[in-house]
């Protein structure tokens, strides 16, 4: 996926250059935030859906993928009852009309890839629970094997190769003796 220039630069401890200026972009708190999720039969189905959403140019607050191994770990760690199958979490942000439009378009795309229900967080408590399911992924995975050390990876890939790469990685992990749940910021085209 290319060189990690940021890590190279930071790791050089000033021998490659010095940052003299930085720009901070500040954004407004969105008027409307909605959270939804949908389960899929395979990670390939899930990533194909995400790719189609991204190619339509829909601006999302976040699109996260958890494979069934990670969903099971999160459920056990957090006491949630998410469907134990590859799961995509959607965060919609913006003006109410914009969010309403995006929700509808994403729903139409989801229906092309799965018959599983497109579920909504119905209140603030459920919204936090769904959003937190991604945030606790590392600790949930660690809790499954507390006697082992966690090792993480970060794979950034072009959108055009995301479905192939994630599906092939998942197939390799399924054959491996390692405990290796898969989770990713697929809206940003990367996974761990």
């Amino acid at each position: 996926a290319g060189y990690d220039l940021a890590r190279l630069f930071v790791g050089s401890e000033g021998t490659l250059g010095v940052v003299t200026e930085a720009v901070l972009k500040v954004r407004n708190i969105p008027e409307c935030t909605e959270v939804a999720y949908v389960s899929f039969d395979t990670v390939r189905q899930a990533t194909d859906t995400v790719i189609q959403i991204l190619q339509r140019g829909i601006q999302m607050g976040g699109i996260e993928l958890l494979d069934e191994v990670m969903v099971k770990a999160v459920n056990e760690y957090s006491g949630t009852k998410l469907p134990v199958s590859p799961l995509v979490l959607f965060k919609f942000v913006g003006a109410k009309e914009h969010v309403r439009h995006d929700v509808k378009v994403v729903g139409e795309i989801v229906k092309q890839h799965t018959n599983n229900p497109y579920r909504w967080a119905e209140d603030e408590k459920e919204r936090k629970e769904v959003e937190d399911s991604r945030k606790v992924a590392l600790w949930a995975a660690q809790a499954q094997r507390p006697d082992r050390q966690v090792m993480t990876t970060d794979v950034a890939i072009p959108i055009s190769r995301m479905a192939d790469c994630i599906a092939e990685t998942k197939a390799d992990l399924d054959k491996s003796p390692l405990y290796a749940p898969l989770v990713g910021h697929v809206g940003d085209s990367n996974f761990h």
Side-chain angles (χ1 to χ4, degrees):
Y3 298 107
D4 184 353
L5 298 179
R7 195 168 297 178
L8 174 67
F9 192 83
V10 170
S12 72
E13 298 179 357
T15 60
L16 292 178
V18 178
V19 175
T20 60
E21 186 175 324
V23 177
L24 174 66
K25 290 185 179 183
V26 180
R27 295 186 175 178
N28 294 338
I29 295 173
E31 173 188 341
C32 179
T33 301
E34 295 290 342
V35 175
Y37 61 95
V38 63
S39 60
F40 294 87
D41 296 331
T42 66
V43 294
R44 176 57 172 238
Q45 230 182 10
T47 52
D48 282 341
T49 303
V50 171
I51 290 168
Q52 191 173 349
I53 291 166
L54 295 174
Q55 288 174 336
R56 287 283 298 268
I58 299 169
Q59 298 296 309
M60 305 285 289
I63 308 176
E64 307 289 337
L65 169 70
L66 290 76
D67 76 349
E68 69 281 358
V69 179
M70 183 57 79
V71 173
K72 181 178 184 290
V74 166
N75 282 344
E76 290 177 13
Y77 183 79
S78 299
T80 53
K81 292 178 175 52
L82 297 168
V84 181
S85 63
L87 192 69
V88 176
L89 311 173
F90 300 104
K91 184 175 184 180
F92 299 90
V93 295
K96 286 183 183 180
E97 278 113 40
H98 176 78
V99 168
R100 200 172 299 131
H101 172 266
D102 289 350
V103 164
K104 181 180 177 213
V105 173
V106 168
E108 291 166 0
I109 293 170
V110 164
K111 285 179 190 173
Q112 296 171 23
H113 296 273
T114 184
N115 291 324
N116 293 330
Y118 185 40
R119 300 177 189 195
W120 291 95
E122 295 185 15
D123 55 33
E124 189 60 38
K125 180 179 181 246
E126 188 178 6
R127 180 180 301 146
K128 182 170 175 18
E129 186 176 278
V130 171
E131 287 183 305
D132 285 354
S133 65
R134 169 61 185 90
K135 293 176 184 176
V136 301
L138 176 66
W139 296 278
Q142 176 67 58
Q144 292 294 303
R145 302 291 190 277
D147 57 326
R148 297 187 187 168
Q149 182 179 356
V150 172
M151 295 177 64
T152 61
T153 61
D154 192 5
V155 182
I157 44 183
I159 292 170
S160 62
R161 298 284 301 138
M162 184 168 61
D164 292 335
C165 186
I166 291 177
E168 289 170 18
T169 300
K170 177 65 177 156
D172 290 343
L173 293 174
D174 288 345
K175 290 183 244 175
S176 169
L178 298 174
Y179 175 74
L182 189 144
V183 63
H185 313 289
V186 289
D188 297 328
S189 195
N190 77 46
F191 69 101
H192 310 281

